[in-house]
Amino acid sequence: MASEAESARVIVESFQMALIDTMKQGKELGYEGRFNKLAEPVKVSHDLIKIARIVVGREWENLTAEQQTQLVDVFSKLSISSYAHNFKDFDGESFVFDSEEETARGGVIIHTTLIIPNDKNVKFDYMLKKKGNSWKIINIIANGVSDLALKRSEYTSILKREGFDPLITKINEKIDNYSKQ
């Protein structure tokens, strides 16, 4: 099983290299350039369909196939936008592999630290599941906070309270805000 964890680690490290590389060119690329540069690495490393399903929970089953496709599409854009927004400057940062562990459900968690010179380091725990022959990131926990849990709480309540279209509008507003900062 060690080779399985290693292949999960390779997915995370390749993704982190893409982040650092994008940060190094961040200012020249601008938001749109960073978005375009990160689109493929995010799609390759993340299981965006599974993440979208988890984020809306049981409500997924109540969506039409068209709505599910639309949600995955807009959520994919949100994920890429978030990285393009949050990883825009380079000041000597680097990722360090800490450890890996297998989960009871056949997943792998890769523990890493983002070393930030002259600032507090950030611990990133990447949860991966096997999809076909490859490992895919399904959740990222930064300093103990699960991105997936935050989104799930927010998005399921919007979906239940206001419906599908307002949820899509809200996600598109976030994407728009990321692009302007």
Side-chain angles (χ1 to χ4, degrees), residues 63-174:
L63 301 177
T64 66
E66 194 176 288
Q67 287 175 321
Q68 290 174 349
T69 301
Q70 186 181 2
L71 181 67
V72 170
D73 181 53
V74 77
F75 192 77
S76 299
K77 286 183 185 138
L78 176 66
S79 297
I80 300 162
S81 293
S82 172
Y83 288 117
H85 169 73
N86 291 315
F87 292 85
K88 57 185 160 211
D89 300 323
F90 183 74
D91 198 21
E93 293 86 352
S94 61
F95 283 99
V96 176
F97 170 79
D98 295 325
S99 65
E100 60 194 43
E101 64 182 281
E102 293 172 27
T103 66
R105 294 184 169 178
V108 172
I109 302 174
I110 305 294
H111 301 280
T112 66
T113 303
L114 176 61
I115 308 295
I116 307 171
N118 307 314
D119 205 344
K120 283 189 175 163
N121 296 339
V122 180
K123 295 223 26 92
F124 282 100
D125 301 316
Y126 295 85
M127 300 179 74
L128 294 92
K129 279 277 201 199
K130 197 90 174 199
K131 183 174 185 179
N133 294 327
S134 181
W135 287 95
K136 297 283 187 179
I137 297 167
I138 59 164
N139 191 12
I140 300 172
I141 300 166
N143 284 339
V145 178
S146 165
D147 183 53
L148 206 55
L150 292 174
K151 285 185 172 79
R152 182 174 181 150
S153 165
E154 180 184 355
Y155 295 170
T156 53
S157 78
I158 293 169
L159 200 51
K160 285 178 186 169
R161 236 185 15 249
E162 302 172 41
F164 182 76
D165 291 336
L167 174 63
I168 297 299
T169 300
K170 187 78 122 186
I171 295 172
N172 279 320
E173 284 171 4
K174 273 194 173 163

Side-chain angles (χ1 to χ4, degrees), residues 6-22:
E6 284 171 22
S7 64
R9 179 177 169 182
V10 168
I11 295 292
V12 169
E13 289 178 343
S14 296
F15 175 63
Q16 290 177 332
M17 284 183 351
L19 283 176
I20 295 289
D21 188 44
T22 301

